[in-house]
Amino acid sequence: MSLDFTRVVVQVAGMVARLRDDLEGKQERLDYALRVIGDKSVDLEYLKKKIAVARTTWLVAGLVDGLDSACQAPSPPDDFTVVATDGSQIDVDRHRPTRCYLLNTGSVLLRYGAHPDAVLGSTPVLYAGDEDMVIALDKGRGREQPVEGALLGIKRGVEECRRLAEIAAGLPSESLALGLIDGSLILWGLEAYPEFVTGALLEGGFLACLEDMRKLNADRRLAVASYISFPRSTDVINALKVILCPQENLDTDKHCQDCEKRECEKVAGLRDSELFTNVLKHGERSALFASQSSIVGKRYGKHSVYFFYLKVDDEIARVEVPQWVSGDANLLNLAHSLVLDQCRRGQGYPVALSEAHEQAVVTAADRENFWQIVESSLMEEHLPGPISAKSRSKKTRWV
């Protein structure tokens, strides 16, 4: 039976009515948040300490150089290179005749200036061995974690970073370059997995690749950044909540339940992007903030994640950089100017990431063709390849 749109339309109308009713209250909260962030009388060092000791159930941005400061983008250099990667996957399918998965990493190198060039490509890798299908503790003699679903998505992110590091290593010395990754530098999902999984994919993978790229700055200038379009994060709004709270040493588990004033609710329901839409002019970046994610604090070390917001056309984007970029004014300015330049060339989104995505994309037809190749190859070799009844049923028209 198809979707009953008669019922859906009624529910959509109710949703729109609720959104309309909330607009006025939301604008009042936004106006209040703008007054708080623009208050020049606040003691920044006091706020830094208050945020640092606060214990909250929500993620709070660490303050670095203020709240409402804005920085114009420097002009990009005459000659520079942008490298970007993105990936897609064909996940393990238990209804298919064999367990395997495929990662396809798209990569782009765009050279601008006196000798412009473009190198585009993709690298598909099939994983089917026993050692590929799980992350194991003590080489298979202990616990195992299957690589599929959300964990496969995290591994894909590691491979994207690995490919970026490989391409960056081939850049000529004394070059100026930006390395771009789509999405966050924070591998959020790893917090749900055992320690040995986190160690394999983070210290043994993602952070090792970031370290390789950091070392390249010995003879060239390489700024690494990730780009998040239309971010829904609330780290800075949550910092305003801490600022507004009358408690000196805020502990939300202890203080919020019996709190009567609820000053923090004056900025509730807002996103950082809504705030900085009203703070930044086109091309400007916000103040720099530090991520206080638990996994970053515990595991990232010299690659701790910092971020700023960037106004591009009608959108606010979140740009994340590792600590070694945030602490180097030249690299930070390079990241700012080249990310903005890429967005201007790409109609509001970094053109290198758009092209990397096009190189990486795996369509539904690609997936079906892949499984047909697998099944036919098994048949040619007379290897057992049982298919589930559910899979056969989906290929058959019964009515």
Side-chain angles (χ1 to χ4, degrees), residues 125-142:
V125 179
L126 176 64
Y127 297 86
D130 291 342
E131 69 282 2
D132 297 323
M133 302 311 297
V134 298
I135 296 175
L137 177 64
D138 196 21
K139 296 182 180 181
R141 292 191 294 272

Side-chain angles (χ1 to χ4, degrees), residues 103-236:
L103 297 179
N104 191 39
T105 306
S107 60
V108 171
L109 184 150
L110 301 176
R111 186 172 291 115
Y112 299 91
H115 304 286
D117 194 12
V119 181
L120 291 75
S122 64
T123 307
V125 179
L126 176 64
Y127 297 86
D130 291 342
E131 69 282 2
D132 297 323
M133 302 311 297
V134 298
I135 296 175
L137 177 64
D138 196 21
K139 296 182 180 181
R141 292 191 294 272
R143 299 168 61 190
E144 294 181 343
Q145 183 69 48
V147 180
E148 57 188 27
L151 189 59
L152 179 56
I154 296 172
K155 180 171 182 176
R156 186 192 72 212
V158 173
E159 294 308 311
E160 291 169 15
C161 191
R162 194 186 311 279
R163 181 65 182 137
L164 189 72
E166 291 173 354
I167 299 173
L171 295 174
S173 60
E174 300 183 3
S175 59
L176 296 172
L178 170 69
L180 263 182
I181 296 173
D182 184 41
S184 180
L185 291 178
I186 305 171
L187 301 187
W188 295 100
L190 278 179
E191 294 177 300
Y193 293 95
E195 167 69 25
F196 69 92
V197 175
T198 303
L201 292 180
L202 196 55
E203 284 88 352
F206 193 77
L207 297 183
C209 296
L210 288 181
E211 176 64 12
D212 289 341
M213 288 187 280
R214 185 190 69 82
K215 290 178 178 178
L216 293 176
N217 280 278
D219 61 355
R220 73 206 78 183
R221 305 301 286 165
L222 172 66
V224 174
S226 71
Y227 188 90
I228 304 172
S229 178
F230 201 66
R232 300 183 62 83
S233 47
T234 59
D235 307 44
V236 178

